[in-house]
Structures are given as structure tokens and as C-alpha cells.
Amino acid sequence: MPAPCEDIVGDIEDLISSQDITPKERYSTRKNVTVRSKRKQLPEDAPQPAILNSIVPGTQTIYVKTWGCTHNNSDSEYMAGQLAAYGYKLTETKYDADLWLLNSCTVKSPAEDHFRNEIEAGRKLGKHVVVAGCVPQGAPKSSFLQGLSMIGVQQIDRVVEVVEETLKGNAVRFLQQKKQSGKKIGGASLSLPKVRRNPLIEIIAINTGCLNQCTYCKTKHARGELGSYLPEEIVERATQAFEEGVCELWLTSEDTGTYGRDIGSSLPELLWKIVKVVPDGCMVRVGMTNPPYIMEHLEEMSKILRHPKVYSFLHVPVQSGSDQVLADMKREYTRADFERVVDFLRERVPGLTIATDIICGFPTETEDDFEETMKLCEKHKFPSLFINQFFPRPGTPAARMPKVHAQDVKKRTKRLSEFFQSYTPYDRRLGLVQDVLVTEVSHDKKHYVAHNKSYEQVLVPLKEEYVGKMIKVKIVEAMKYSMSGEVISGGSSPSLKPCLTKGTVSGIPMEMQPSKYRVAAILAIFVAVFLRLMWKFLTV
């Protein structure tokens, strides 16, 4: 029996008909489920969030913030899409919002710290807060999450229900993993409505979870075992995105190389199906893959990465150059395996960009082990190198191992970072003429950002006619992280349709559209509120 103040609608698994009006009415058909007001556990001096029982659902303003990987960003786009389709207004100004939806990452301690700080900031401002993502999924009993509504990584299709109840002062929690015939499925449907952060870029999660058991990683606690979406679902979503004017497709997951192993398919098989529906002037980017699961597909992957509509780019994390450390991490490959992947693909894919990750200061890493990592990076001079200090994640085997002294971790991180900053990978591009696809605005708002076939970043002038187009440029300057391009010809993509304006909902399924029952219910609520106000006025 829960304590009186622990009023949680827990892990409700069946979605009642879309023609029901509110979560409270939906729950009324279930036994042993209660929806009661929740006393929020807030600081004594914090303002209490307003309980909006008399307000029409779907009329409030929502702020969505995301930490972490591309998969998390995709989840946020889907949650934002459902809320917008239901009538909620989305805002990028958090102080204007009635509710904050915070989508978390558990990979690194700093990301979780920022997430925790944002929760406290919202509470102090008296905002309703809903937490989503890998932190509540992997550690729902964390003290800083108590009293909050939670959405698990496979329950993002329940976001409207969670938001409605939270705005009324209730705490609800949907965290269970979804299964089909006893087998895990990919996650929420790919046909859900979404609001793209960038209307030109479609992010599709092709699978969730992974097959690894890395000793330092907490993500598997949240995302679980591998669950792949069917190829037809992915191709259908991609086709719809291109119909809506998207010009760049990102395929993402915790490990794209594992795709299809649970459904009798594979990453190359999926990619060959996808490229058939990619219009001229559009590009596909393949997301991160770990070495063990890409090695058996190297020949096919080299052919796909040479395809004119696929970026010659692959993110393959190595994490360490020491075989002993890799074994202690349970990465299931050796340094030689990683180098085989890099050398094989570089030899067969002209201009291939390999990005990789390094963890400095893993608990068993010695100075000799770190030297092996330095030698690996010095040999390959990766143009994109993500350097991370080791952070012990609670509940992982590595968190229980004796730690490397903090000063040694900092020294190793500094040394590798200084080496990475010592070379510029794009000097040989000066004078080259390249086709680049323009998709976003630079951080300083002074340029548009484009990418060439190698997915190298090229800055071009801020002219509206370039957006979403493949243009031809001459490289006139090379910096550490990007190049500058002088436009030779502003290309065109005649096969592309105009993209959706920012904030527009993509692909609202019929069941998400307002029904006559919902419209009638909203009118009834307005009438009831009006009559109540009139009664109060007449009885004064």
C-alpha cells in the first residue's frame, strides 16, 4: 500500500480509445486505478504550481528541453508533436511555459547534473515539471525525481496523458518496456506526429537498446536489449519526411550496427531499401556503430558509403587504444579490430570521415594503457574526436572499481585534447570545388552550415535561397572544425517540396486528430465553466 501522499498512477499499459476525453475518464474503465491530487515535494519557500482543473486540456504552454544523443532528440520531437497536435502551445522561452518537459541523458554525470538543476529551477519558479528519458527510466527512485511525473523511453506515446494529469496536480508514471508476443519491440510507433527541431532534418531511430554489456555504461539500464523497427516502417517514415520537404535523413540508435539482428535483417539491407526513396538533392547520415557489429558488413558498408546520396561518414567509438582496458570495459573487440574497420573503409571509400570517442581515466587504465591510446590517435589523426573523462555511473560495474586519481585523469584528458587541437584536418581541401547541402544556421548566426559528401562542415553566406539546397562552393579557408566556402553556383533541388515551417506538426495520424467527441467535450467544458461563473455572479 502506498503512503497517503504517494498518489501515483503507475505504469498503465493499455491505451484506451482516442475518443475518450481526459485521462481521468480513460482510467475510470480500469479497476484499482486512482487519480488523486498529489502534494508536491517542493522547497518550503517555492511557489506551488497552479492546479488547472478548470482549464480546457490542450490550451496550455509547454517548454521542452533535451539532453544527450540524437535518439533523445528524436524522442523529444515526437513528444512535442503529440502535444502540439493536441492543441498545446510549444515555447522556447521556459519562463512563459505552464509546464516543463525535461528529456534526460544518463551517459555522463554533467548531463545528469544539468538535468537535476533544471528540475530545481522549475520547482522554484512554481512550474509543473514532467521528466522523461534515460534518467527516470534507469533510476526512477532517485531522490530528486520524487513527486514528479515520469515518462519512460518506450512510453513517449503517452505524453499527452501525463501532461494533462500533471497540470491538474497529479503525478503519473509510465515506465514499463513494451513487448510483442513476448519479444521487445523497437519502441513507440514511428508514425506518431512530431515537430522537428530543424524542419530540413528528419531523425529516425531504427532500433532501441543494444547488445553490449559495457561496464561503464548506464544507458542499457534505460534502453534495454535490442529492439529493431521493421524496415517497412522506417522506409515509410522516411518517405513521408521527404514528402514534407526534408532534405537530410539521420538514422540513429544506441548502436546502428546491431540493427536487424533480432528480426532477421541487417543495417546494409535496410540502407539499400532507404536509398531507393531518397530524392535527388537529399542525403542520408548513418549514426553511431560499435566495432563488433559492423565488421561482418564491411564490404557492403563500403559500397553504401560510396553511394552519392549517403554521407561518407561513420561514427565508430574506440574508447581506448589498450586491449586490456577494452577487455575491462567489455567492449568485445581489440584495437586491431577497430583499426581493421578504419583501414578497410578508408581504403574503399574516398574521402571517408571516421569520428571516434575516447574515455580518459577508466579505472583500470595505467599510464602505459594511455600511451597506447595516444599512439592510436597520433596514427590516425581523427578529424572528429570526442574526448571524455571517465565518470562513474551509479549501478554500473565500473563504478565499483578503484578510481584513477583525479589529477591523473585531468592530465591525460588535457594531453589528448592538446594533441587534437594541434592539427587542422582540412588544409588539403583549400581550392577544391565541392557540392554541399545547406541545412542550418551557424552558432554565431553569421553563416549557414552545409556539409560536403564527407560530412565535413562548410560555412557559406547567409542567403535564404541556399537553405535546403545542394550548392557548389570553392573552399577558400580551412579552420579546425570547419571550412569556408565561396559559392560558385546556387544549386537547385527540383524534386524537393517546400519544407514545413518551424513548429509545424508533421504527419498527424487520423487517431490524433480532434474527433467530434473531443470537440463536443470541449464545448461542454466551456458551457459548464460559463454557467458556473454566471451562477456565482447571480448569487453574490
Side-chain angles (χ1 to χ4, degrees):
M1 286 291 292
C5 66
E6 292 184 20
D7 303 313
I8 295 174
V9 178
D11 303 339
I12 302 172
E13 279 310 298
D14 60 330
L15 189 58
I16 309 302
S17 167
S18 63
Q19 298 190 353
D20 292 323
I21 308 306
T22 68
K24 188 169 185 177
E25 290 175 301
R26 294 173 196 138
Y27 304 151
S28 67
T29 64
R30 294 179 58 92
K31 296 179 180 179
N32 303 320
V33 177
T34 57
V35 181
R36 300 185 294 271
S37 291
K38 172 80 177 177
R39 186 182 303 123
K40 302 289 184 179
Q41 299 177 0
L42 301 179
E44 292 182 3
D45 59 344
Q48 291 286 335
I51 298 175
L52 306 176
N53 287 315
S54 63
I55 302 299
V56 178
T59 61
Q60 295 79 35
T61 302
I62 311 296
Y63 167 69
V64 182
K65 184 174 177 62
T66 310
W67 290 264
C69 65
T70 310
H71 196 162
N72 261 23
N73 279 278
S74 174
D75 286 350
S76 289
E77 290 184 349
Y78 277 122
M79 289 191 284
Q82 292 170 84
L83 292 167
Y86 217 66
Y88 289 102
K89 179 183 177 182
L90 303 176
T91 180
E92 295 181 359
T93 307
K94 59 186 178 182
Y95 301 105
D96 295 340
D98 299 300
L99 180 144
W100 292 5
L101 173 57
L102 308 178
N103 193 5
S104 61
C105 173
T106 193
V107 171
K108 303 177 189 177
S109 295
E112 189 166 322
D113 291 341
H114 293 157
F115 172 59
R116 185 188 294 109
N117 292 339
E118 197 76 349
I119 290 172
E120 292 307 312
R123 283 175 151 169
K124 288 179 180 178
L125 289 170
K127 302 294 183 181
H128 294 276
V129 177
V130 173
V131 293
C134 291
V135 173
Q137 182 72 66
K141 295 182 180 179
S142 299
S143 60
F144 66 94
L145 298 179
Q146 297 313 299
L148 297 175
S149 291
M150 304 181 193
I151 306 173
V153 295
Q154 290 195 31
Q155 298 288 341
I156 60 173
D157 55 349
R158 313 298 296 274
V159 65
V160 172
E161 299 168 70
V162 176
V163 165
E164 283 189 19
E165 285 303 318
T166 304
L167 287 167
K168 293 193 292 186
N170 303 317
V172 295
R173 184 174 64 188
F174 296 148
L175 296 172
Q176 287 190 1
Q177 299 282 324
K178 294 186 176 181
K179 292 188 177 182
Q180 191 172 42
S181 301
K183 183 179 181 181
K184 179 182 171 183
I185 58 176
S189 170
L190 295 181
S191 65
L192 288 170
K194 66 161 58 175
V195 172
R196 298 186 184 96
R197 182 187 65 84
N198 184 335
L200 294 170
I201 298 175
E202 169 74 359
I203 306 171
I204 301 180
I206 61 175
N207 56 269
T208 66
C210 68
L211 296 175
N212 277 9
Q213 297 289 343
C214 299
T215 57
Y216 57 84
C217 183
K218 197 172 174 65
T219 303
K220 189 161 186 174
H221 295 193
R223 296 282 183 181
E225 294 293 334
L226 177 67
S228 300
Y229 287 98
L230 295 175
E232 310 86 75
E233 295 179 76
I234 297 168
V235 172
E236 183 179 359
R237 181 78 220 194
T239 302
Q240 178 191 322
F242 291 125
E243 285 290 318
E244 293 174 342
V246 160
C247 63
E248 192 166 282
L249 174 63
W250 294 0
L251 303 178
T252 185
S253 76
E254 284 64 60
D255 188 346
T256 59
T258 63
Y259 173 78
R261 285 175 173 253
D262 55 331
I263 58 172
S265 185
S266 68
L267 180 61
E269 183 180 322
L270 171 67
L271 290 170
W272 285 125
K273 292 178 179 178
I274 287 176
V275 294
K276 291 179 181 178
V277 302
V278 179
D280 293 338
C282 298
M283 297 295 290
V284 177
R285 190 188 82 171
V286 181
M288 187 274 287
T289 176
N290 284 308
Y293 308 110
I294 202 69
M295 284 190 287
E296 66 189 71
H297 301 307
L298 289 178
E299 187 63 51
E300 281 301 292
M301 287 302 298
S302 68
K303 295 175 183 176
I304 289 166
L305 293 172
R306 291 198 301 267
H307 192 284
K309 295 179 181 178
V310 179
Y311 284 119
S312 299
F313 168 87
L314 206 57
H315 180 190
V316 189
V318 64
Q319 306 299 8
S320 175
S322 162
D323 284 347
Q324 183 57 58
V325 172
L326 291 174
D328 294 337
M329 291 176 169
K330 289 195 175 179
R331 291 290 288 169
E332 300 182 4
Y333 59 87
T334 64
R335 170 178 171 167
D337 291 332
F338 170 78
E339 292 197 89
R340 177 177 165 236
V341 171
V342 173
D343 294 340
F344 186 98
L345 293 176
R346 278 181 170 173
E347 181 180 327
R348 289 163 177 77
V349 184
L352 176 70
T353 295
I354 294 284
T356 196
D357 299 24
I358 297 291
I359 295 174
C360 294
F362 185 80
T364 63
E365 183 184 74
T366 65
E367 286 296 335
D368 288 342
D369 291 327
F370 181 68
E371 287 300 326
E372 291 301 310
T373 296
M374 286 297 303
K375 289 176 183 176
L376 177 71
C377 294
E378 288 166 356
K379 175 181 178 181
H380 292 283
K381 289 190 174 181
F382 301 103
S384 184
L385 183 62
F386 303 98
I387 303 168
N388 305 291
Q389 293 185 37
F390 171 78
F391 289 103
R393 306 304 295 129
T396 62
R400 299 190 294 270
M401 298 177 183
K403 297 177 180 58
V404 176
H405 194 280
Q407 289 302 316
D408 291 331
V409 177
K410 289 179 181 178
K411 286 178 184 177
R412 294 172 192 176
T413 306
K414 183 173 183 290
R415 182 180 166 199
L416 183 57
S417 298
E418 287 176 345
F419 166 72
F420 177 60
Q421 295 297 330
S422 70
Y423 60 90
T424 51
Y426 307 128
D427 290 345
R428 294 184 180 180
R429 309 286 192 273
L430 286 172
L432 293 182
V433 174
Q434 299 181 328
D435 291 323
V436 298
L437 180 59
V438 183
T439 55
E440 53 195 312
V441 179
S442 63
H443 289 300
D444 62 8
K445 313 295 184 187
K446 296 179 180 178
H447 305 87
Y448 279 127
V449 177
H451 292 92
N452 59 19
K453 177 68 165 68
S454 301
Y455 201 68
E456 296 165 339
Q457 187 169 276
V458 180
L459 303 179
V460 299
L462 204 64
K463 292 186 177 181
E464 187 68 27
E465 62 264 31
Y466 299 154
V467 178
K469 300 294 192 299
M470 191 78 75
I471 63 175
K472 196 174 292 293
V473 301
K474 180 180 180 181
I475 304 302
V476 294
E477 185 180 6
M479 292 83 78
K480 173 61 182 175
Y481 299 101
S482 63
M483 296 167 276
S484 289
E486 180 183 278
V487 179
I488 295 176
S489 63
S492 62
S493 303
S495 62
L496 296 185
K497 297 184 177 181
C499 71
L500 302 178
T501 57
K502 187 168 183 178
T504 301
V505 181
S506 159
I508 306 176
M510 186 61 66
E511 62 269 20
M512 288 293 298
Q513 295 177 9
S515 68
K516 59 183 179 181
Y517 300 97
R518 180 170 173 78
V519 172
I522 291 174
L523 289 173
I525 292 171
F526 272 120
V527 170
V529 171
F530 175 76
L531 291 175
R532 184 187 302 175
L533 291 174
M534 288 298 295
W535 175 256
K536 288 183 178 180
F537 176 76
L538 293 172
T539 55
V540 170

Coordinates of all heavy atoms in Angstrom, one line a residue, residues 311-358:
Y311 N 26.1 10.1 -46.9 CA 27.4 10.8 -46.5 C 28.5 9.7 -46.3 O 28.2 8.7 -45.7 CB 27.2 11.5 -45.2 CG 26.4 12.9 -45.4 CD1 25.2 13.1 -44.7 CD2 27.0 13.9 -46.2 CE1 24.5 14.3 -44.9 CE2 26.3 15.1 -46.3 CZ 25.1 15.3 -45.7 OH 24.4 16.5 -45.8
S312 N 29.7 10.0 -46.7 CA 30.8 9.2 -46.5 C 31.4 9.5 -45.1 O 32.4 10.1 -44.9 CB 31.9 9.4 -47.5 OG 31.4 9.1 -48.8
F313 N 30.6 9.0 -44.1 CA 30.9 9.4 -42.7 C 30.4 8.2 -41.8 O 29.3 7.7 -42.0 CB 30.1 10.7 -42.3 CG 30.1 11.0 -40.8 CD1 31.1 11.7 -40.2 CD2 29.0 10.5 -40.1 CE1 31.1 11.9 -38.9 CE2 29.0 10.8 -38.7 CZ 30.0 11.5 -38.1
L314 N 31.2 7.9 -40.8 CA 30.8 6.9 -39.8 C 31.4 7.2 -38.5 O 32.6 7.5 -38.4 CB 31.3 5.5 -40.3 CG 30.5 4.3 -39.8 CD1 29.0 4.4 -40.2 CD2 31.0 3.0 -40.3
H315 N 30.6 7.1 -37.5 CA 31.0 7.4 -36.1 C 31.2 6.0 -35.4 O 30.2 5.3 -35.2 CB 29.9 8.2 -35.3 CG 30.3 8.5 -33.9 ND1 29.4 9.0 -33.0 CD2 31.4 8.3 -33.2 CE1 29.9 9.1 -31.8 NE2 31.2 8.7 -31.9
V316 N 32.5 5.7 -35.2 CA 32.8 4.4 -34.6 C 33.6 4.6 -33.3 O 34.8 4.8 -33.4 CB 33.7 3.5 -35.6 CG1 33.8 2.1 -35.1 CG2 33.0 3.5 -37.0
P317 N 33.0 4.5 -32.1 CA 33.8 4.8 -30.9 C 34.8 3.7 -30.6 O 34.4 2.5 -30.6 CB 32.7 4.8 -29.8 CG 31.4 4.9 -30.6 CD 31.6 4.3 -31.9
V318 N 36.0 4.1 -30.3 CA 37.0 3.1 -29.9 C 37.2 3.0 -28.4 O 37.4 2.0 -27.8 CB 38.4 3.4 -30.6 CG1 39.0 4.7 -30.2 CG2 39.4 2.2 -30.3
Q319 N 37.1 4.2 -27.7 CA 37.1 4.4 -26.3 C 38.5 4.2 -25.6 O 38.9 4.9 -24.7 CB 36.1 3.5 -25.5 CG 34.7 3.5 -26.0 CD 34.1 4.9 -25.9 OE1 34.7 5.9 -25.5 NE2 32.8 5.0 -26.1
S320 N 39.3 3.3 -26.2 CA 40.7 3.2 -25.6 C 41.6 2.5 -26.7 O 41.0 1.7 -27.5 CB 40.7 2.4 -24.4 OG 42.0 2.1 -23.9
G321 N 42.9 2.8 -26.7 CA 43.8 2.1 -27.6 C 44.4 0.9 -26.9 O 45.3 0.2 -27.5
S322 N 44.1 0.6 -25.7 CA 44.6 -0.5 -24.9 C 43.7 -1.7 -24.9 O 42.6 -1.6 -24.5 CB 44.9 -0.1 -23.5 OG 45.1 -1.2 -22.6
D323 N 44.2 -2.9 -25.4 CA 43.4 -4.1 -25.4 C 43.0 -4.5 -24.0 O 41.9 -5.0 -23.8 CB 44.2 -5.2 -26.0 CG 44.2 -5.1 -27.5 OD1 43.5 -4.3 -28.1 OD2 45.0 -5.8 -28.2
Q324 N 43.8 -4.2 -23.0 CA 43.5 -4.6 -21.6 C 42.3 -3.7 -21.1 O 41.4 -4.2 -20.5 CB 44.7 -4.4 -20.7 CG 44.4 -4.8 -19.2 CD 43.9 -6.3 -19.1 OE1 44.7 -7.2 -19.5 NE2 42.7 -6.5 -18.6
V325 N 42.4 -2.4 -21.4 CA 41.3 -1.6 -21.0 C 40.0 -1.9 -21.7 O 38.9 -2.0 -21.1 CB 41.6 -0.1 -21.2 CG1 40.4 0.8 -20.9 CG2 42.8 0.3 -20.3
L326 N 40.1 -2.2 -23.0 CA 38.9 -2.6 -23.8 C 38.3 -3.9 -23.2 O 37.1 -4.0 -23.1 CB 39.3 -2.8 -25.2 CG 39.7 -1.6 -26.0 CD1 40.2 -2.0 -27.4 CD2 38.5 -0.6 -26.1
A327 N 39.1 -4.8 -22.7 CA 38.6 -6.0 -22.1 C 37.9 -5.7 -20.8 O 36.8 -6.2 -20.5 CB 39.7 -7.0 -21.9
D328 N 38.5 -4.8 -20.0 CA 37.9 -4.4 -18.7 C 36.6 -3.7 -19.0 O 35.7 -3.7 -18.1 CB 38.9 -3.6 -17.9 CG 40.1 -4.3 -17.5 OD1 40.0 -5.6 -17.4 OD2 41.2 -3.7 -17.3
M329 N 36.5 -2.9 -20.1 CA 35.3 -2.3 -20.4 C 34.2 -3.2 -21.0 O 33.1 -2.8 -21.1 CB 35.6 -1.2 -21.5 CG 36.4 0.0 -21.0 SD 36.7 1.1 -22.4 CE 37.3 2.6 -21.6
K330 N 34.6 -4.4 -21.4 CA 33.8 -5.4 -22.0 C 33.3 -4.9 -23.4 O 32.1 -5.0 -23.7 CB 32.6 -5.8 -21.1 CG 33.0 -6.7 -20.0 CD 31.8 -7.4 -19.3 CE 32.3 -8.4 -18.2 NZ 31.2 -9.1 -17.6
R331 N 34.2 -4.3 -24.1 CA 33.8 -3.7 -25.4 C 33.7 -4.8 -26.5 O 33.2 -4.5 -27.6 CB 34.8 -2.6 -25.8 CG 34.8 -1.4 -25.0 CD 33.5 -0.6 -25.2 NE 33.5 0.0 -26.5 CZ 32.5 0.6 -27.1 NH1 31.3 0.5 -26.5 NH2 32.5 1.2 -28.3
E332 N 34.3 -6.0 -26.3 CA 34.1 -7.1 -27.2 C 34.8 -6.9 -28.6 O 34.4 -7.4 -29.6 CB 32.6 -7.4 -27.4 CG 31.9 -7.8 -26.1 CD 30.5 -8.2 -26.4 OE1 30.0 -8.2 -27.5 OE2 29.8 -8.4 -25.4
Y333 N 35.9 -6.1 -28.6 CA 36.8 -6.0 -29.7 C 38.1 -5.6 -29.3 O 38.3 -5.2 -28.1 CB 36.2 -5.0 -30.8 CG 36.1 -3.6 -30.2 CD1 37.2 -2.7 -30.2 CD2 34.9 -3.2 -29.6 CE1 37.0 -1.4 -29.7 CE2 34.7 -1.9 -29.1 CZ 35.8 -1.1 -29.1 OH 35.7 0.2 -28.6
T334 N 39.1 -5.7 -30.1 CA 40.5 -5.3 -29.8 C 40.8 -4.0 -30.6 O 40.1 -3.7 -31.5 CB 41.5 -6.4 -30.2 OG1 41.5 -6.6 -31.6 CG2 41.2 -7.7 -29.4
R335 N 42.0 -3.5 -30.3 CA 42.4 -2.3 -31.1 C 42.6 -2.7 -32.5 O 42.2 -1.9 -33.4 CB 43.7 -1.8 -30.5 CG 44.4 -0.8 -31.3 CD 45.7 -0.2 -30.7 NE 46.5 0.6 -31.6 CZ 47.5 1.4 -31.2 NH1 47.8 1.4 -29.9 NH2 48.1 2.1 -32.1
A336 N 43.1 -3.9 -32.8 CA 43.3 -4.4 -34.1 C 42.0 -4.5 -34.9 O 41.9 -4.2 -36.1 CB 44.0 -5.7 -34.1
D337 N 40.9 -4.9 -34.2 CA 39.6 -5.0 -34.8 C 39.2 -3.6 -35.3 O 38.7 -3.4 -36.4 CB 38.6 -5.6 -33.8 CG 38.8 -7.0 -33.5 OD1 39.4 -7.7 -34.4 OD2 38.4 -7.5 -32.4
F338 N 39.3 -2.6 -34.4 CA 38.9 -1.2 -34.7 C 39.7 -0.7 -35.9 O 39.1 -0.1 -36.8 CB 39.1 -0.3 -33.4 CG 39.0 1.1 -33.7 CD1 37.7 1.7 -33.9 CD2 40.1 2.0 -33.9 CE1 37.5 3.0 -34.1 CE2 39.9 3.3 -34.2 CZ 38.6 3.8 -34.3
E339 N 41.0 -0.9 -35.9 CA 41.8 -0.4 -37.0 C 41.5 -1.1 -38.3 O 41.6 -0.5 -39.3 CB 43.3 -0.6 -36.6 CG 43.7 0.4 -35.5 CD 45.2 0.5 -35.4 OE1 45.7 1.5 -36.1 OE2 45.9 -0.2 -34.7
R340 N 41.1 -2.4 -38.2 CA 40.7 -3.1 -39.4 C 39.4 -2.4 -40.0 O 39.4 -2.2 -41.2 CB 40.3 -4.5 -39.1 CG 39.8 -5.3 -40.3 CD 39.5 -6.8 -39.9 NE 38.7 -7.4 -41.0 CZ 37.6 -8.0 -40.8 NH1 37.1 -8.1 -39.5 NH2 36.9 -8.5 -41.7
V341 N 38.5 -2.0 -39.2 CA 37.3 -1.3 -39.7 C 37.7 0.0 -40.3 O 37.3 0.3 -41.5 CB 36.3 -1.0 -38.5 CG1 35.2 -0.1 -39.0 CG2 35.8 -2.3 -38.0
V342 N 38.6 0.8 -39.6 CA 39.0 2.1 -40.2 C 39.8 1.9 -41.5 O 39.5 2.6 -42.5 CB 39.9 2.8 -39.1 CG1 40.5 4.1 -39.7 CG2 39.0 3.2 -37.9
D343 N 40.8 1.1 -41.5 CA 41.6 0.9 -42.7 C 40.8 0.4 -43.9 O 41.0 0.8 -45.0 CB 42.8 0.0 -42.3 CG 43.8 0.6 -41.3 OD1 43.7 1.8 -41.1 OD2 44.5 -0.2 -40.7
F344 N 40.0 -0.6 -43.6 CA 39.2 -1.2 -44.7 C 38.3 -0.2 -45.3 O 38.3 -0.1 -46.6 CB 38.3 -2.4 -44.1 CG 37.6 -3.2 -45.2 CD1 38.1 -4.4 -45.7 CD2 36.4 -2.7 -45.7 CE1 37.4 -5.1 -46.6 CE2 35.7 -3.4 -46.6 CZ 36.2 -4.6 -47.1
L345 N 37.6 0.6 -44.5 CA 36.6 1.6 -45.1 C 37.4 2.8 -45.7 O 37.0 3.2 -46.8 CB 35.7 2.0 -44.0 CG 34.7 1.0 -43.5 CD1 33.9 1.5 -42.3 CD2 33.8 0.5 -44.6
R346 N 38.4 3.2 -45.1 CA 39.2 4.3 -45.7 C 39.8 4.0 -47.1 O 39.8 4.8 -48.0 CB 40.3 4.8 -44.7 CG 39.9 5.7 -43.6 CD 41.0 6.1 -42.7 NE 40.6 7.2 -41.8 CZ 41.4 7.6 -40.8 NH1 42.6 7.1 -40.7 NH2 41.0 8.6 -40.0
E347 N 40.2 2.7 -47.2 CA 40.8 2.3 -48.4 C 39.8 2.2 -49.6 O 40.1 2.5 -50.7 CB 41.4 0.9 -48.2 CG 42.1 0.3 -49.5 CD 42.6 -1.1 -49.2 OE1 43.1 -1.4 -48.1 OE2 42.6 -1.9 -50.1
R348 N 38.5 1.9 -49.2 CA 37.5 1.7 -50.3 C 36.5 2.9 -50.4 O 35.8 2.9 -51.4 CB 36.7 0.4 -49.9 CG 37.5 -0.8 -50.2 CD 36.9 -2.0 -49.4 NE 37.7 -3.2 -49.7 CZ 38.8 -3.5 -49.1 NH1 39.4 -2.7 -48.2 NH2 39.5 -4.7 -49.4
V349 N 36.5 3.8 -49.5 CA 35.6 4.9 -49.6 C 36.3 6.2 -49.7 O 36.9 6.7 -48.7 CB 34.6 5.0 -48.3 CG1 33.6 6.1 -48.5 CG2 33.9 3.6 -48.1
P350 N 36.5 6.8 -50.8 CA 37.2 8.1 -51.0 C 36.7 9.2 -50.1 O 35.5 9.4 -50.0 CB 37.0 8.4 -52.5 CG 36.7 7.1 -53.1 CD 35.9 6.4 -52.1
G351 N 37.6 9.9 -49.4 CA 37.2 11.0 -48.5 C 36.4 10.6 -47.3 O 35.7 11.5 -46.7
L352 N 36.4 9.4 -46.9 CA 35.7 8.9 -45.7 C 36.1 9.7 -44.5 O 37.3 9.8 -44.2 CB 35.9 7.4 -45.5 CG 35.2 6.8 -44.2 CD1 33.7 6.8 -44.4 CD2 35.7 5.4 -44.0
T353 N 35.1 10.1 -43.7 CA 35.4 10.7 -42.4 C 35.0 9.7 -41.3 O 33.9 9.2 -41.3 CB 34.5 11.9 -42.1 OG1 34.9 13.0 -43.0 CG2 34.7 12.5 -40.7
I354 N 36.0 9.4 -40.4 CA 35.7 8.5 -39.3 C 35.8 9.4 -38.0 O 36.8 10.0 -37.8 CB 36.8 7.4 -39.2 CG1 36.6 6.4 -40.3 CG2 36.6 6.6 -37.8 CD1 35.5 5.4 -40.3
A355 N 34.7 9.4 -37.3 CA 34.7 10.0 -36.0 C 34.8 9.0 -34.9 O 34.3 7.9 -35.1 CB 33.4 10.8 -35.8
T356 N 35.4 9.3 -33.8 CA 35.5 8.3 -32.7 C 35.5 9.0 -31.3 O 35.6 10.2 -31.2 CB 36.8 7.4 -32.9 OG1 36.7 6.3 -32.1 CG2 38.1 8.2 -32.5
D357 N 35.4 8.2 -30.3 CA 35.3 8.6 -28.9 C 36.5 8.0 -28.1 O 36.9 6.9 -28.3 CB 34.0 8.2 -28.2 CG 32.8 8.7 -28.9 OD1 32.9 9.1 -30.1 OD2 31.7 8.9 -28.2
I358 N 36.9 8.7 -27.1 CA 37.9 8.3 -26.2 C 37.5 8.6 -24.7 O 37.0 9.6 -24.5 CB 39.3 8.9 -26.4 CG1 39.9 8.6 -27.8 CG2 40.3 8.5 -25.3 CD1 40.3 7.2 -28.0

